[in-house]
Amino acid sequence: MRKVQFYGAISIDGYLATKDNRLDWLFKTSGANEAPTKEFMQQVDTAIMGRHTYEYTMAQTTDQLINPFNPATQNIVMTSKPHAGDVHTQFTNASVTELVRELREKDGGNIWIVGGTGVLMPLLAANLVDELFIQIAPVVLGNGLPLFTAINHQQRFKLVATHQYGQLAEVHFQRLTV
């Protein structure tokens, strides 16, 4: 079965981005180029993200690819206003949990959860996230867009590995199965 994996970076105080969606604090952190991003991305053939993440990524990339290490990656953008996409990008207002349940049953590579709380938290609440790869940058933002928000139950993961890439600390967690 395909794995559902979050892979992303946060500040020490748990923010994915500033309130205005900036990531300059992350890009100023040495070590990102040392992380095994290419190896992770080569195992992914589906990326699920929110509209803000998609728009930011498209504005920042010259090659217009969410996953440059697998250009055939299917991008699914969660939005309240779906519109026509293209061969690699689908815009939908479907339930992210139902979408992931369907995708897990199909053949394919791993599913990368790119975005923040709007995508990640419903999947965590439904116990659908298999792994978390969280890179922590040594900066306190004070406010911003958090990675996690409240859910109505605890969910346990086990720590699989920790790595240091320059000034980034990466923790890798796997969901405990009961």
Side-chain angles (χ1 to χ4, degrees):
M1 183 180 289
R2 303 166 78 178
K3 289 182 185 177
V4 177
Q5 303 168 305
F6 172 83
Y7 185 91
I10 61 172
S11 63
I12 291 173
D13 50 348
Y15 295 108
L16 286 167
T18 62
K19 286 281 187 197
D20 58 351
N21 292 307
R22 286 190 355 264
L23 294 175
D24 55 329
W25 57 272
L26 177 59
F27 301 136
K28 292 176 185 174
T29 304
S30 68
N33 59 339
E34 298 172 31
T37 304
K38 179 178 180 180
E39 292 80 4
F40 176 87
M41 297 296 187
Q42 287 174 329
Q43 299 174 32
V44 168
D45 71 0
T46 305
I48 301 175
M49 69 208 77
R51 181 183 55 84
H52 293 291
T53 300
Y54 175 77
E55 288 175 354
Y56 179 84
T57 303
M58 289 296 99
Q60 298 300 313
T61 60
T62 55
D63 56 15
Q64 298 296 292
L65 295 171
I66 298 291
N67 183 355
F69 303 109
N70 182 357
T73 296
Q74 178 65 38
N75 304 305
I76 302 173
V77 180
M78 308 306 295
T79 179
S80 60
K81 297 177 183 174
H83 54 84
D86 58 38
V87 68
H88 292 294
T89 305
Q90 169 190 348
F91 296 86
T92 182
N93 62 356
S95 161
V96 70
T97 56
E98 291 306 312
L99 177 67
V100 166
R101 283 185 179 109
E102 291 172 15
L103 288 170
R104 285 177 75 146
E105 298 303 317
K106 295 179 181 178
D107 290 335
N110 293 335
I111 301 165
W112 175 29
I113 305 307
V114 185
T117 61
V119 176
L120 180 61
M121 293 312 297
L123 295 173
L124 280 172
N127 205 30
L128 290 172
V129 178
D130 299 304
E131 295 181 300
L132 300 164
F133 293 85
I134 302 172
Q135 295 168 352
I136 305 165
V139 60
V140 175
L141 294 178
N143 66 32
L145 304 174
L147 175 58
F148 299 108
T149 56
I151 56 175
N152 60 6
H153 66 281
Q154 289 186 5
Q155 189 166 119
R156 302 284 304 173
F157 286 79
K158 73 175 181 176
L159 178 62
V160 176
T162 59
H163 299 281
Q164 182 176 349
Y165 304 111
Q167 288 297 300
L168 289 177
E170 182 181 83
V171 290
H172 174 194
F173 298 101
Q174 286 181 344
R175 176 174 45 95
L176 289 177
T177 54
V178 182

